[in-house]
Amino acid sequence: MHMTDLIEKKKQGLELTEEEIRFIVNGYTAGDIPDYQMSALMMAILFRGMTIPETTALTMAMAHSGDMVDLSALGAFTADKHSTGGVGDKTSLVLCPMVAACGAKMAKMSGRGLGHTGGTIDKLESFPGFSTSMSPERFLEIAGTVGFVIAGQTANLAPADKKMYALRDVTATVNSIPLIVSSIMSKKLASGAKTIVLDVKTGSGAFMEKEKDAFTLAREMVNVGKQAGRNMAAVVTDMDQPLGFAVGNALEVKEAIAVLRGENVPDLKELCMVLGSNILVRSGLAADEAEARARLEESIESGAALRKLADMVTAQGGDASAVYDVSLLPAAPVQRRVKAPRDGYISAMEAKNIGLVSMHLGGGRATKEDVIDLCVGVVLAAKVGDRLRAGDELAVIHAADGKAAEEAEKELLECYTFSDRKPRRRPFIRGVVT
Ligand code: URA
C-alpha cells in the first residue's frame, strides 16, 4: 500500500477501506508516514468527508493506537462524559458526584484548559493538595470505592490523536466532522467506560457555532460509539452565553458546590439532570427518566452527592474542608462590581469573549506552559432575557489587582448587547440524540 495512492483516492472522493485506514493510522503513529502526507490526506478528508464506515474505522484505529483502559473490574455501570468545551462549564464537578451517589462508576481522564475554556483538572486544583497523577491501580481503587475519580490523560491514550490533532491545529484541518468525531471518540473508547454521554455545545462560545453542525457531530459520535458496543447519548446545548453564572476556576468550583448543596442554577442543574438521567437509564441503573431524575434529586437532597465530591477530593490527596466551607477556596484580592450601563434587557452575550476576559485576568492559558491564577474570573449577576436598570449589578470581576480589574471591566462591557424589547429565548437544551 502506498500513501500517495490513498491520498489520491480520498482526493477523488472515494471510500477508503478499513485496512487502508488502519495502515494510515498505524504508519503515522509509528513515524513511517511523514507529516506532509498526513496533512494532505486530512485536507482531502476535510473537503471530501468520510462515510460512516470510514469514520468508524478511523476512530477504532486511533483508539487502538495506544492503551485500551480495562474498567471491567468496576462492573457494568462504568460511565464517562465528554463536553466539546464551553465557558463556565463546571458540569463534571456536579454531574460526577451525583451519578456516583446513584451507583455509577465514573473513571474519568480529563485535560487541562487551553484558550477561553477551562479544564476540569485546573478547577479541581482549587483544593489544596489535589493531585490527578496516580498509578492505574489507585485510579481503579478510587473509582471502585468512591465511584468517581478524575486523572490526567495518560501519555499512551490514543497517541494517534495526539499527533493528528497537533497537525490539524497548524494545517487548518480542525473543523472537519469526521476528524472531530474520530478525535473525541477514539479517546473516549480507549478510556474504557461502557456508557458514554456527550455534551455538544452550540453557539457563539462553542466550537460548533451552528446548531445543524452540532447535531451532525452529535449523531455521528453516538453512531460510532454504538458500533463499538457502548451505551450512548448526546445532548446538544446552548453556548450563546456562559453556563451558570461563574467563569473562572475556583469561582466555578464554588458554584458547583452550591448546586450540590441544593441551590438551583437553572441551566447547569438541568444539564446535569439530562446527562445524569441518560447515564442512569442507558447503563441500566434506572428503569426510566422519571426514576433517574428522582434518584438524582435525592442524591442532592440527602447530601450524598456533596459527600461524594468530598470523598473524591480526599482520595486524590486534596483538602476537602472547602466542600463544606467555601470561604476556604482561594479568593482574589480585588472584587469590582460592574454596573449595567443603561436600562433594558440583556439581549445577547458573547460567551467566548467572556471566557477571554477571564483568561486575560489570568484564569486561562494562551499556551500550554502558562501558569493560571485559580482565584480570578467573572461572576455574572444577570443573563440573557433579564431586565436591568442603569446602575444595577451586571457582574463582579475577581482580579489580582485594581488595574487588571479595570481593564477587564472595559472588555466585559463589550460582551453585552442590550435592547428595549424582551428578546426571544431559545431553549437551553436543543435536543438529545440517542
Ligand atoms: N476536541 C478534541 O478532542 N478533538 C477535536 O478534534 C476537537 C475537539
Side-chain angles (χ1 to χ4, degrees):
M1 240 179 267
H2 296 286
M3 187 64 178
T4 27
D5 298 338
L6 302 179
I7 297 169
E8 182 62 39
K9 192 171 173 186
K10 187 38 66 186
K11 192 178 85 184
Q12 290 177 23
L14 301 173
E15 189 175 29
L16 298 170
T17 67
E18 194 180 327
E19 195 191 354
E20 287 166 342
I21 289 172
R22 258 203 313 267
F23 167 84
I24 294 164
V25 172
N26 293 344
Y28 184 60
T29 311
D32 300 335
I33 293 172
D35 282 350
Y36 53 80
Q37 285 189 316
M38 197 61 180
S39 310
L41 178 78
M42 291 200 294
M43 190 58 85
I45 292 173
L46 183 133
F47 281 116
R48 291 299 199 165
M50 279 185 137
T51 61
I52 296 285
E54 278 181 304
T55 308
T56 305
L58 180 61
T59 309
M60 296 312 288
M62 288 167 67
H64 283 92
S65 66
D67 299 337
M68 294 292 285
V69 179
D70 178 6
L71 297 181
S72 57
L74 297 174
F77 304 122
T78 53
D80 201 352
K81 167 251 169 193
H82 178 82
S83 160
T84 58
V87 178
D89 190 356
K90 67 285 288 174
T91 310
S92 291
L93 301 178
V94 183
L95 173 74
C96 297
M98 283 168 75
V99 295
C102 296
K105 304 287 183 196
M106 301 286 288
K108 269 187 78 56
M109 291 201 205
S110 196
R112 291 188 182 276
L114 190 61
H116 70 282
T117 62
T120 303
I121 289 183
D122 297 314
K123 291 167 198 175
L124 281 165
E125 285 176 350
S126 303
F127 295 103
F130 187 85
S131 166
T132 52
S133 55
M134 64 195 81
S135 68
E137 293 76 25
R138 181 71 182 140
F139 178 73
L140 285 179
E141 188 188 337
I142 300 174
T145 52
V146 179
F148 159 32
V149 63
I150 296 192
Q153 208 168 286
T154 61
N156 205 34
L157 192 86
D161 176 60
K162 217 160 278 163
K163 276 188 88 174
M164 287 167 67
Y165 201 15
L167 192 61
R168 285 165 60 208
D169 211 18
V170 292
T171 55
T173 50
V174 169
N175 65 339
S176 146
I177 299 250
L179 294 180
I180 299 171
V181 170
S182 53
S183 169
I184 294 175
M185 288 306 294
S186 61
K187 287 173 286 205
K188 288 291 122 184
L189 296 180
S191 300
K194 180 78 184 145
T195 301
I196 301 170
V197 293
L198 306 163
D199 176 15
V200 181
K201 310 275 193 198
T202 182
S204 65
F207 191 59
M208 288 279 130
E209 288 201 22
K210 293 198 196 110
E211 187 174 312
K212 183 172 156 277
D213 293 339
F215 271 103
T216 306
L217 180 64
R219 272 192 298 270
E220 291 211 8
M221 291 198 289
V222 165
N223 206 330
V224 167
K226 280 186 166 177
Q227 292 198 43
R230 310 299 168 97
N231 308 316
M232 295 294 304
V235 185
V236 176
T237 62
D238 177 87
M239 191 30 75
D240 265 331
Q241 60 179 339
L243 183 67
F245 294 96
V247 180
N249 297 281
L251 297 169
E252 292 186 36
V253 171
K254 193 170 165 188
E255 186 170 51
I257 291 171
V259 174
L260 290 173
R261 284 181 171 282
E263 206 172 286
N264 187 17
V265 176
D267 52 0
L268 174 60
K269 173 80 184 285
E270 181 54 16
L271 178 55
C272 293
M273 294 301 283
V274 174
L275 291 169
S277 54
N278 271 286
I279 289 177
L280 299 190
V281 172
R282 305 222 170 270
S283 65
L285 277 163
D288 55 31
E289 193 187 334
E291 185 196 328
R293 281 187 170 255
R295 291 187 56 195
L296 292 165
E297 284 291 359
E298 173 61 19
S299 78
I300 291 180
E301 277 163 29
S302 66
L306 192 70
R307 283 193 297 277
K308 283 288 176 197
L309 177 64
D311 291 349
M312 183 277 280
V313 170
T314 306
Q316 296 195 213
D319 177 359
S321 329
V323 170
Y324 299 105
D325 177 3
V326 290
S327 71
L328 298 173
L329 286 169
V334 172
Q335 298 186 7
R336 184 181 177 102
R337 265 184 89 221
V338 179
K339 295 178 190 163
R342 53 162 279 189
D343 288 1
Y345 292 96
I346 299 176
S347 57
M349 283 160 93
E350 285 292 331
K352 180 175 175 182
N353 292 346
I354 295 175
L356 289 172
V357 172
S358 173
M359 185 178 138
H360 297 156
L361 281 164
R365 291 186 187 81
T367 73
K368 275 190 198 142
E369 290 70 35
D370 287 351
V371 176
I372 60 173
D373 184 344
L374 294 169
C375 316
V376 300
V378 179
V379 179
L380 308 170
K383 294 185 70 175
V384 174
D386 289 342
R387 184 173 163 71
L388 299 173
R389 294 206 163 276
D392 282 353
E393 187 171 298
L394 192 60
V396 177
I397 288 169
H398 295 246
D401 56 52
K403 188 163 175 289
E406 208 177 303
E407 279 169 19
E409 174 169 358
K410 281 189 219 130
E411 252 187 89
L412 185 66
L413 285 169
E414 297 278 310
C415 300
Y416 292 84
T417 309
F418 292 89
S419 67
D420 296 326
R421 279 227 217 116
K422 193 171 170 63
R424 247 188 74 230
R425 293 290 314 279
R426 313 231 13 237
F428 167 68
I429 305 271
R430 300 287 167 78
V432 182
V433 176
T434 53

